[in-house]
Each structure stands twice: as C-alpha cells, then as structure tokens.
Amino acid sequence: MRFLVAQPGPAFSVQDVYVGWVEALKDLGHTAVEFNLDRRLAFYSSAEFEYEGERRHLSDDQVTEMAINGLCASLYKVRPDVLLVVSGFFVPLALMDLARKAYGTRVVVLHTESPYEDDRQLQVAEHADLNLLNDPTNIDQFKQVSRAVYMPHAYRPTLHCPGPAKPELVCDLGFVGTGYQSRVDFFESMDLDGLDVLLGGNWQLLAEDSPLRKYLGHDIDKCLDNEETVDLYRSARVGINLYRRESRKPELSQGWAMGPREVEMAACGAFFLRDSRPEGDELLPMLPRFSSPAEASELLRWWLAHDRLRRDAAEAARVAVQNRTFTNHAKQLLRLLET
C-alpha cells in the first residue's frame, strides 16, 4: 500500500509521532512517502524578497499557503492509496476533500491533541475517512461525523529504550514539555530547595522573574529535540509527568488516556511521578501519583532516598508499555483499512 504521510509542522514533540509512523509503515513493507512540512515552513519563513525598495518577508498566512502547496503537488505525483495526516495543524480541509474526491485517496487523520482541542479536531474529522484519536474522552462525538477509533500513544523502540545517563544531564528531577502557565504555577509551588532540577522544552513565555529560570537546561529560546529528551529521561533520578490544564474549553482539559511522555519515559526505563489519569492508573500503578504540588514534593524526596525501589518500579513500568509500539499500531491501522 502506498502512503503519503504529512509531517505536522512542529519539529519537536509530535515530530516523534510522525517519524514513528513512517518507520513502522516502511518496516511492514509499505511505501511511505514523506511530506516534510516542517522544513518547508522554515524555508518560506526565512525567504526574503524586495518590494518597492524594501526587504520583506512573507506573512504567516503566505508562508503556510506556500508550504502546503507542495502537498497538493505530492498528491498529484504520488497518487497515494492513503494520505496520513499527523495532527493536521496546517492542512486545509479543502485539500483533504480534494484527495478523496479527485484521486480516490483515503484520508486518515491522526489526532494528537485530544481532548484539549477536540472542538477544532471535530471540524477536521468530518473530512476524513478514518480518525485516530490519542484520547477517547469525546470519541462518541467523532463517531457522529466520521469513522473514529482510539489509538494510544506509542514509542519508538530504536530510540525510547534504556541506556546510559549523560553526566551533564544527571539531576534529581527532570521534566521535558511546554511551559504552559498551569505547569509553571505547579513547579513554582513545589518544594525544590536543595535539589538538582532540570527543565527542558518550550519555556519561551516564562516570566523573567520566575524562580524556574535557574532550572532551564538550555537557552530559553531553544528546545530539546527528541534524542536529547531521551538522554534526559535516562539521566534524571526522578522524572515527572504533569498534564497541562489549558484547553479551548474548561471541559476539554480532563483526559482519560496517558500522554506520549508517559509512554516514552516508561519505555526508556525511567522512574517518574504521575499526574493521575484513569488509563495511567490502570497500566502504571507501580509508579506513584500525586494530586498537588505539596504531595509531589513529598513523593519526590521519599523516592530519591529509595534507589532500589525506584529501579524496580521503573522496570515494571517498562514491561507494562512494551507492546505500545508504532509497529503494532500500524498493523492495527492496516486492519482498519481492510474493513
């Protein structure tokens, strides 16, 4: 089967989802043609032109339009059996309709932002033949407009696996993620005095007077790539998973499924504290859960003092997620496409 896989745009976080699916489809013997939207967006964002004697750049809308034009061309050239759209942040709905009606291509959208952005994702779902949701909280609403199934987050065994710590990344507490305000408030409320803490990810909006600035492991205008993120998972004595509370609507902030970082940390053999969710509580009961900054602080210090118990819990968590690979999920997708 011939797939055209549309990269989501951002070159971090969901990039690993994109790479994982491409690798899995190829490993299973299928053709997976990659559409590198991230590089195209970067190229057109940096382009300059002269207009009325001034050097100018394209507007954000123009950058997106120019980059997406390449996807139209790829559809015409590749004539894929399936257009697999990861996230769909930038893909126009009209283009998805074109793929289905003009070329007979089936459109599969992998929604990565459930439940936080399900309002937007529902609008996209109407234009797809199959929708894969990373959280099933609102799946009944998706089923009313199109075919939809729950597809859990997965990991890449070639990347997310146990390995040696990097001396420069060894710390008591490590976290990688976007610095949403809810996370900033949580970490600022924790008792981290005397601890070696390392934060990575997108923290560009962090206030200049925030006490968290001293914990950033890289320049604030940069971000850890997925390989560096794995190095941090392996190097932190304790990790932490903390869900964002920001969403388009308050009722969309409470999910059921584990997030990608939980699956990846567990696959790397990392020990971490858990922000409770039903799926995680069921699959990873060996890892401690917290409900407040104070409780997280107490758990952190207790587990830092119990090395053997941390190792045992981390190994049990690694075993618990071992089947959640992109290859297994790709096999499920292929079965769905046959029905």
Side-chain angles (χ1 to χ4, degrees), residues 166-181:
K166 286 202 168 185
E168 65 272 22
L169 296 177
V170 172
C171 57
D172 294 320
L173 177 67
F175 174 82
V176 179
T178 300
Y180 292 105
Q181 189 59 46

Side-chain angles (χ1 to χ4, degrees), residues 186 239-241 243 262 271-300 303:
F186 189 95
I240 186 169
N241 182 70
Y243 292 108
E262 283 185 279
F271 173 88
F272 59 97
L273 309 178
R274 293 189 303 109
D275 194 354
S276 178
R277 274 192 178 177
E279 185 180 44
D281 294 345
E282 178 181 337
L283 191 64
L284 302 176
M286 70 292 293
L287 297 177
R289 60 185 182 183
F290 57 83
S291 58
S292 68
E295 186 177 18
S297 302
E298 293 177 4
L299 287 169
L300 171 60
W303 283 95

Side-chain angles (χ1 to χ4, degrees), residues 12 176-180 200-205 218 220 222-224:
F12 50 89
V176 179
T178 300
Y180 292 105
N202 182 359
W203 293 83
Q204 296 182 24
L205 298 181
H218 52 78
I220 196 168
K222 296 182 179 180
C223 188
L224 286 182

Side-chain angles (χ1 to χ4, degrees), residues 3 21 33 35 65 87 90-91 109 126 178 227 249 328:
F3 288 81
W21 276 93
V33 180
F35 179 73
E65 181 180 359
S87 297
F90 298 97
V91 178
V109 178
E126 297 183 46
T178 300
E227 287 75 16
K249 295 179 180 179
N328 285 339

